[in-house]
Amino acid sequence: MYRLAVALLTLPALAALAADRVEPITETGLQRIAEGRVAQAQVDHVVAQTEDLVRDYRQLTRTVDGLNTYNQLLQKQVDSQLTELAALRASIQQVAIIERQIVPLLLRMIDTLDGFVQLDVPFLPEERTTRIRKLRAMMGQANVAAPEKLRRVLEAYQVENDYGRTIEAYKGRVTLNGQPREVDFLRIGRIALLYQDGSGTHTGAWDTQARQWQPLPGHLYRREVVRGLRMARNQLAPGLLVVPVAAPRDAP
């Protein structure tokens, strides 16, 4: 009886003792599990940060590569612009040299044109001499660039050149028997310059050899001059005209 009682009393004591020992172990295990979760969370956080840093690094690497490519392109453009700038500077220096040479040339061209007009058939004298006078005045203007001066001189030459292949009618005055008279002029290129007064009484032509006006027989040329004037004014279709033409001079 006593031994059984002792045994029975010992079992609860052992259970209590085991419970006292297991509980700290359990608590320790739970604490370690909690600490492990915290540590795992920290590891996951570090991994996430690392992945973010890797993505940022890759993005920055692509950006840097793009910037390097863009900078290389810009450098090529800058080099090209520097080359063009050097060429422009050389051209500017060349233009200054050409301008110093072209101004005397233009003056000689104007003198030549003036002499040509003085020796030419005397049609549109005021218009042509005024054009030359304006060219001379333009050459002294500092606000007109050399290219513009060249353009205007060449334009004047072109106008004179066009006179040789056109027909024109215009009004003007001619001195007949010492008296100025209003007449209609008919210019046929540079081969003939004729006049006729309003009544058709006086008809004449410029004699290039004698360099003076010569009257023409009215019965021969009056109708032809009238037809020529109408053709020049687009009042009549172009056709054949019979007009006096100076014979070519014999070569010396």
Side-chain angles (χ1 to χ4, degrees), residues 112-238:
T112 301
L113 187 63
D114 189 8
F116 175 77
V117 170
Q118 297 298 326
L119 296 175
D120 196 18
V121 179
F123 60 88
L124 302 174
E126 293 184 5
E127 177 180 322
R128 298 166 79 191
T129 54
T130 298
R131 184 182 300 113
I132 294 174
R133 185 172 63 253
K134 288 182 177 179
L135 289 177
R136 293 189 186 280
M138 175 198 65
M139 294 302 298
Q141 296 176 357
N143 60 337
V144 180
E148 178 64 15
K149 293 177 180 179
L150 175 62
R151 187 191 68 80
R152 294 186 187 181
V153 172
L154 294 179
E155 185 180 65
Y157 267 80
Q158 184 61 48
V159 171
E160 289 292 333
N161 181 63
D162 291 341
Y163 286 144
R165 47 192 176 86
T166 57
I167 181 173
E168 181 180 15
Y170 63 95
K171 292 185 177 296
R173 287 190 175 188
V174 65
T175 301
L176 301 176
N177 300 323
Q179 297 294 327
R181 185 183 295 271
E182 294 286 339
V183 296
D184 290 313
F185 286 103
L186 173 62
R187 177 184 61 81
I188 303 175
R190 280 190 165 87
I191 63 174
L193 180 63
L194 306 102
Y195 70 84
Q196 189 174 89
D197 64 358
S199 64
T201 304
H202 300 280
T203 302
W206 176 257
D207 188 332
T208 56
Q209 295 183 0
R211 297 201 61 78
Q212 62 182 4
W213 295 104
Q214 297 290 347
L216 297 176
H219 66 284
L220 292 177
Y221 296 106
R222 178 179 177 277
R223 291 175 58 87
E224 295 298 318
V225 173
V226 171
R227 291 180 64 244
L229 290 171
R230 294 183 63 190
M231 290 179 189
R233 292 166 179 160
N234 295 321
Q235 297 173 349
L236 188 67

Side-chain angles (χ1 to χ4, degrees), residues 13-63:
L14 291 174
L17 179 60
D20 291 339
R21 292 182 178 181
V22 170
E23 185 176 354
I25 295 174
T26 302
E27 292 179 355
T28 301
L30 293 175
Q31 183 178 0
R32 289 181 178 178
I33 291 173
E35 292 175 353
R37 291 176 178 175
V38 172
Q40 184 63 42
Q42 293 176 347
V43 170
D44 293 341
H45 180 67
V46 171
V47 170
Q49 287 184 332
T50 303
E51 292 177 350
D52 291 340
L53 289 174
V54 170
R55 283 195 298 269
D56 293 341
Y57 172 77
R58 291 175 178 172
Q59 180 63 35
L60 289 175
T61 301
R62 288 194 293 269
T63 302

